[in-house]
Amino acid sequence: MSQLFQEAIIISILASTIRIMTPLLFSAMGELITQRAGIWNMGVEGTMLTGAFAAYLVATATGSLWLAVLAAVVAGALMGIVIAFMTATLRVDHFIAGLGLNLLAGGLTLYWFQSYIQGRPQPIFSGFQDVAIPLLSDIPVIGPVLFSQRALTYVALLVVPVVWFLLYRSRYGLELRCLGENPKALDVKGLSVSARQYAAVMLGSAMTGLGGGFLMLGFSDRFLADFTAGRGWIVIVALIAGNWRPKGVLVAVTAFAFLESLATHLQVVGAQVPHQLLLALPYLASIGLLMGLRFRSGQPARLGIPYARE
Amino acid sequence: MSTALRVEGLTKRFAGVTANDDVDFDLRRGEIHCLFGENGAGKSTLSSCIFGFYRPDKGEILLHDQPVHIASPMDAIRHGIGMVHQHFVLVPEFTVLENIIVGTQRSGWRLNAAEARQKLKGICDGYGIDLDLDAYVWELPVGRQQWVEILKVLYLDAQILILDEPTAVLTPGESRVLFDIVRKMCARGMSIILITHKLVEVMQSDRVTVLRKGKVVATLDRPETTPDELARLMVGRDVFFTVTKPELAPGETILAVEGLSARGFWGDAVLKDVSFSVARHQILGIAGVAGNGQKELFEVLCGVRRPAAGSIIFKGEEVAGMSPRAMMDRGVGHIPDDRFREGLVPEFSVAENVVLGWQRNPKYCKGPLMDRDAITGLAREMIGEYQIATRDEHVAAGKLSGGNAQKIIIAREFLHASGLVLANQPTRGLDVGVIEYVQTQLLKKRAEGFAIVLASEELSDLFNLADLIAVMFKGEIMGIVDPRTVTVAEVGVMMAGRRGETAASKKRVSA
Ligand SMILES: Nc1ncnc2c1ncn2[C@@H]1O[C@H](COP(=O)(O)OP(=O)(O)O)[C@@H](O)[C@H]1O
Ligand SMILES: [Mg+2]
């Protein structure tokens, strides 16, 4: 293989790592906010799927990609209301609430999709294109990897420090983390636990929905059944692997995206490995990771435990 | 003196239980008013109603003789009422400062810690409280965590302070400091409601209201009452504070522990070089604030936790590292400290719990099946013998009161133990009547020739029962002392980490 070809492959692997990573990053940061507030939302997959579908619907109906982004955010927030209602108001077991949401989302999106196309060939849209940042994108290697990406990719990378600041430097973040560690400590200060949980879950789910929407608008032109293909579960793994910290989650998501990108490229290069195995690589890595992980010091103490005063 | 707070006709019901029944109560400005009563008398419920945490079903609350509506802790805080809850309401992952300011800032995005720090410095200096505001709460010893709770309340400018059993986690020395500071608060015009079920503490207050089964029994000026009268009012009958312990010469050594160490989940040393021995007819008391390695010690002794080093000789046999089942088979009985989580399966019936752990015994099974008749027979027998108050043997154990649950555990362990009983906090949270019963049962086993290891946070338990007291602090034994020659205060000092002389070594010197 020529030197040039090797370099091109490496750049391509890295660039696609970033591409794969960013939708996940929105969803993972959203789920981080949700879980830090004590709600173990298992409905990431369903929320992403709904976000993706809402984006598809609005993109094909109106032709406006930014309206489609808004639709994904709103759809996510609505899913958040459902989760918050079940966990904070009805105090249903968090896992059951989330799993129910996934089933609901899978069924509803398909149903809506069918009634939208009504047997006709499905409409397609043309999604976001790369936005090369002048000057920066001309830097060798780094330029094509980091500065020649979709617009939302830049936003996603900014979301990490923003979430970090929200969690650790703002008073809302302190209250939000308190919800996950010991909601009673807020309750005895006279603050409403459930109002704050609603707010956190809605914000978190809106970001999760945005992740699904970006997946649709950035990397596809049509809707398919089970469009998110297990990415929601990867987000949950990333949260555990990242020990519930923004930086850790960023690293975990990057590692997952890198493996997936590597797997795709190895196929293209024609490595002598069954391609099913390559595709399964990131998922196998996640399973291995979860089995090996005992380090859960960052897990919020009251994560997944419904709060009741009496 | 003016009235700071008055409660009239307050009634609070939980599903099926009337926790407060038409309670009248008043608090004068600048006084320490004790709410005194047994566990379950309704003290915490009453204070939670005053704090707006629970909503009373009936009754009125007046502040400075004005009726007020307290619908939530927010209202209470606005009216200058602060409460330190019976169980810590802290976030271990937060710093002291974060615990205090969380939820108190009303405007702005950024955390405003500087202003809070300033104000807290003032409060700490004023009361002589020395606390590192930037320490994480999980780093602090339990005793110091109580100061965080108190600072939380002072930070919100409380004028009326409710302290719900604040000394439960404190050593005697720390309790004294707490009382000094509470006195200072009163001198500055604050009014204090102090909840306790300890007589020594009641005797330091200005007035006492005694609660029994949710009702106010009496409100008394403290100087005009006596501990005996208060105890009688609390329980509703005469109580004898000391069970009589006959002198018995210790027999041969049953359990000898030498250089025992163990590690916790994170690899930290939870037991360090623990050595002691217990003989037939002997009760070894383990004193110490909970969380200083008592639980781990018992776990190692009954086989649930592996020791990292050291030997355990039971009846002449090395048993360190053996499985719990092997220990049970050898005759070790274990009464764990967490009744409903480790001592019982709350969802199982009384009968199932009585036989729990012995279901393999041919007496209680027929091949792979349980022998219903044998188990029911055993349960009925135990219910009679140990006076377990239950409708019948089919009731779920979790439905029983703490005292009756404890009796199930005692019945089961005493039935099968031979030689050694390990009892961890067997009287914790029980009514005086049941405490007396448990103590009597332990003494009965001692008379029968058992060796007993008994851990208790209540020094009165140990001074009543133990032949020797080993004091534990941070996983180490600070000394083994003879209750006949040592004072409660001396044991208290050792509980806080000062090394004491061991009775054994004293003897060796004199020999
Ligand atoms: N949240 C609750 N739900 C149901 N019953 C309760 C609750 N809190 C207290 N109780 C019951 O109310 C009674 C009084 O309890 P409590 O106020 O905690 O007593 P104390 O503080 O004097 O020990 C007890 O019988 C207790 O079981
Ligand atoms: Mg109480």
Side-chain angles (χ1 to χ4, degrees):
Chain A
M1 251 185 277
S2 75
Q3 181 97 37
L4 218 64
F5 184 61
Q6 268 184 23
E7 197 182 296
I9 287 281
I10 290 173
I11 289 178
S12 169
I13 289 177
L14 294 181
S16 89
T17 299
I18 301 279
R19 246 193 322 274
I20 296 168
M21 176 177 114
T22 39
L24 289 180
L25 208 50
F26 279 121
S27 299
M29 287 298 139
E31 180 71 358
L32 177 66
I33 288 175
T34 304
Q35 293 209 3
R36 278 304 196 134
I39 309 290
W40 195 317
N41 179 6
M42 290 298 255
V44 184
E45 180 78 6
T47 308
M48 285 180 77
L49 187 61
T50 311
F53 178 72
Y56 166 77
L57 207 65
V58 173
T60 50
T62 69
S64 161
L65 292 182
W66 290 105
L67 267 185
V69 167
L70 185 68
V73 170
V74 171
L78 288 176
M79 295 299 262
I81 293 182
V82 176
I83 283 286
F85 180 69
M86 287 200 277
T87 56
T89 304
L90 299 183
R91 301 197 187 97
V92 175
D93 181 285
H94 292 192
F95 282 16
I96 292 173
L99 295 178
L101 195 80
N102 287 337
L103 289 175
L104 185 77
L108 275 187
T109 47
L110 261 191
Y111 169 72
W112 280 329
F113 179 62
Q114 299 297 352
S115 37
Y116 177 58
I117 61 171
Q118 290 180 341
R120 293 186 301 264
Q122 73 160 301
I124 55 172
F125 63 93
S126 88
F128 283 114
Q129 300 304 312
D130 286 346
V131 182
I133 297 182
L135 298 179
L136 289 177
S137 58
D138 296 333
I139 305 172
V141 187
I142 301 177
V145 172
L146 275 183
F147 299 110
S148 185
Q149 296 278 4
R150 314 282 203 261
L152 274 177
T153 296
Y154 305 120
V155 180
L157 292 172
L158 274 179
V159 158
V160 180
V162 168
V163 166
W164 178 87
F165 182 86
L166 175 78
L167 284 178
Y168 294 100
R169 286 291 178 271
S170 79
R171 79 177 160 100
Y172 300 109
L174 190 68
E175 290 169 14
L176 192 141
R177 285 185 290 135
C178 192
L179 287 173
E181 299 289 349
N182 188 356
K184 194 175 174 188
L186 273 192
D187 200 3
V188 298
K189 300 260 175 104
L191 302 186
S192 162
V193 169
S194 77
R196 275 163 187 73
Q197 283 182 333
Y198 265 87
V201 177
M202 282 174 64
L203 173 63
S205 292
M207 288 170 65
T208 303
L210 172 60
F214 186 24
L215 200 63
M216 172 63 68
L217 300 171
F219 310 99
S220 180
D221 58 2
R222 69 193 67 212
F223 183 78
L224 306 161
D226 191 25
F227 175 77
T228 40
R231 281 182 169 73
W233 300 105
I234 293 294
V235 163
I236 290 175
V237 174
L239 217 63
I240 299 170
N243 201 22
W244 288 269
R245 300 211 157 86
K247 247 188 289 177
V249 173
L250 172 65
V251 171
V253 167
T254 313
F256 170 80
F258 176 75
L259 283 178
E260 186 168 324
S261 158
L262 193 68
T264 332
H265 281 82
L266 283 179
Q267 271 182 81
V268 175
V269 179
Q272 293 303 310
V273 188
H275 87 283
Q276 290 90 340
L277 203 64
L278 283 176
L279 286 181
L281 189 64
Y283 298 88
L284 289 177
S286 319
I287 292 173
L289 193 70
L290 277 185
M291 289 194 301
L293 266 184
R294 287 187 57 202
F295 183 69
R296 285 195 178 193
S297 58
Q299 179 173 356
R302 308 289 295 180
L303 180 56
I305 302 171
Y307 176 72
R309 195 185 271 183
E310 289 186 10
Chain B
M1 247 188 283
S2 64
T3 308
L5 174 126
R6 186 194 300 280
V7 173
E8 284 176 359
L10 188 141
T11 298
K12 171 71 187 170
R13 288 186 204 93
F14 293 110
V17 193
T18 305
N20 289 146
D21 189 356
D22 198 18
V23 167
D24 293 321
F25 173 83
D26 73 292
L27 177 71
R28 293 177 191 152
R29 206 176 118 88
E31 77 167 344
I32 301 180
H33 193 142
C34 245
L35 263 182
F36 184 62
E38 289 188 317
N39 272 301
K43 308 179 297 288
S44 296
T45 305
L46 175 60
S47 45
S48 288
C49 286
I50 295 173
F51 187 58
F53 199 68
Y54 290 165
R55 197 164 301 192
D57 296 307
K58 235 177 38 216
E60 227 180 336
I61 295 172
L62 300 91
L63 283 171
H64 307 289
D65 295 319
Q66 297 295 314
V68 287
H69 181 64
I70 300 180
S72 81
M74 183 68 100
D75 294 335
I77 291 168
R78 227 188 340 255
H79 287 301
I81 303 174
M83 175 161 174
V84 171
H85 294 255
Q86 183 167 4
H87 305 289
F88 288 141
V89 190
L90 295 171
V91 180
E93 300 298 318
F94 285 5
T95 64
V96 172
L97 186 72
E98 286 172 335
N99 265 286
I100 295 169
I101 63 174
V102 67
T104 60
Q105 194 177 331
R106 293 279 173 265
S107 60
W109 258 87
R110 289 174 74 95
L111 270 178
N112 192 352
E115 219 170 282
R117 194 182 293 273
Q118 201 65 34
K119 180 169 175 185
L120 282 167
K121 278 252 155 31
I123 297 173
C124 286
D125 291 346
Y127 285 105
I129 299 172
D130 173 33
L131 198 63
D132 177 6
L133 294 179
D134 296 311
Y136 283 96
V137 164
W138 60 262
E139 296 175 316
L140 299 179
V142 208
R144 301 191 66 73
Q145 294 185 8
Q146 191 64 275
W147 294 123
V148 185
E149 285 286 14
I150 288 171
L151 279 179
K152 270 167 68 177
V153 176
L154 291 176
Y155 181 74
L156 290 169
D157 304 309
Q159 284 306 306
I160 294 172
L161 182 57
I162 308 170
L163 297 166
D164 194 351
E165 308 213 11
T167 60
V169 293
L170 303 183
T171 62
E174 288 170 330
S175 303
R176 246 191 329 275
V177 176
L178 178 76
F179 271 93
D180 288 346
I181 288 180
V182 168
R183 284 260 161 245
K184 259 190 218 169
M185 292 172 180
C186 291
R188 292 178 188 195
M190 288 174 66
S191 323
I192 315 281
I193 301 175
L194 179 80
I195 296 175
T196 183
H197 61 250
K198 294 184 189 169
L199 275 167
V200 275
E201 288 169 8
V202 181
M203 296 317 285
Q204 301 185 47
S205 66
D206 299 311
R207 285 196 304 155
V208 190
T209 291
V210 184
L211 277 178
R212 187 169 73 226
K213 294 189 177 141
K215 289 198 175 81
V216 172
V217 185
T219 298
L220 306 159
D221 284 328
R222 199 266 303 155
E224 273 145 41
T225 181
T226 62
D228 282 339
E229 184 190 6
L230 286 172
R232 200 165 47 243
L233 286 170
M234 169 169 82
V235 192
R237 62 180 172 87
D238 286 314
V239 277
F240 306 102
F241 279 103
T242 43
V243 282
T244 40
K245 180 179 77 174
E247 284 296 323
L248 288 172
E252 81 266 16
T253 301
I254 298 278
L255 177 77
V257 173
E258 192 62 49
L260 195 65
S261 306
R263 299 196 171 280
F265 180 77
W266 303 106
D268 45 328
V270 287
L271 282 183
K272 296 173 215 157
D273 196 19
V274 168
S275 304
F276 59 81
S277 66
V278 210
R280 198 175 271 283
H281 296 304
Q282 218 181 22
I283 296 183
L284 174 76
I286 309 265
V289 177
N292 275 294
Q294 297 95 321
K295 190 178 184 65
E296 287 81 2
L297 174 64
F298 281 82
E299 286 176 352
V300 171
L301 290 181
C302 71
V304 174
R305 182 185 288 269
R306 291 199 151 267
S311 84
I312 305 170
I313 311 280
F314 176 58
K315 291 184 182 167
E317 181 192 10
E318 174 63 64
V319 294
M322 280 194 183
S323 71
R325 186 167 166 185
M327 300 303 276
M328 281 165 65
D329 288 342
R330 279 166 178 70
V332 177
H334 180 212
I335 303 172
D337 62 342
D338 194 335
R339 251 159 252 152
F340 287 104
R341 248 184 253 151
E342 290 167 22
L344 298 168
V345 180
E347 292 79 13
F348 283 12
S349 71
V350 173
E352 285 165 330
N353 272 294
V354 166
V355 83
L356 202 64
W358 297 93
Q359 64 278 10
R360 291 175 254 98
N361 191 311
K363 266 199 261 177
Y364 309 119
C365 63
K366 291 182 194 148
L369 301 178
M370 292 196 287
D371 185 343
R372 287 263 149 212
D373 293 340
I375 294 174
T376 313
L378 173 74
R380 292 210 178 123
E381 196 183 313
M382 291 298 130
I383 289 171
E385 185 175 339
Y386 288 88
Q387 299 153 27
I388 301 169
T390 169
R391 202 179 63 233
D392 56 35
E393 67 279 2
H394 302 301
V395 175
K399 291 244 171 14
L400 269 53
S401 71
N404 285 301
Q406 188 71 304
K407 286 179 180 174
I408 299 179
I409 300 170
I410 292 178
R412 181 184 66 215
E413 298 302 316
F414 280 11
L415 181 66
H416 298 287
S418 61
L420 180 64
V421 168
L422 307 168
N424 192 6
Q425 317 288 351
T427 61
R428 179 189 278 168
L430 300 183
D431 290 355
V432 175
V434 186
I435 290 178
E436 214 181 286
Y437 180 83
V438 172
Q439 294 185 342
T440 316
Q441 289 295 326
L442 288 170
L443 284 176
K444 211 168 108 196
K445 279 286 151 190
R446 171 178 174 267
E448 282 174 23
F450 272 71
I452 294 168
V453 182
L454 164 72
S456 180
E457 286 179 274
E458 298 295 335
L459 287 180
S460 60
D461 265 0
L462 299 178
F463 276 83
N464 277 347
L465 300 178
D467 298 290
L468 284 173
I469 298 178
V471 186
M472 283 194 85
F473 177 73
K474 292 199 173 160
E476 276 182 272
I477 291 196
M478 306 315 291
I480 299 178
V481 294
D482 186 334
R484 285 165 304 186
T485 60
V486 78
T487 65
V488 173
E490 283 169 325
V491 173
V493 170
M494 289 166 73
M495 279 165 66
R498 177 98 55 84
R499 260 177 213 290
E501 242 180 303
T502 33
S505 65
K506 242 189 224 167
K507 236 180 269 164
R508 226 174 285 142
V509 173
S510 61

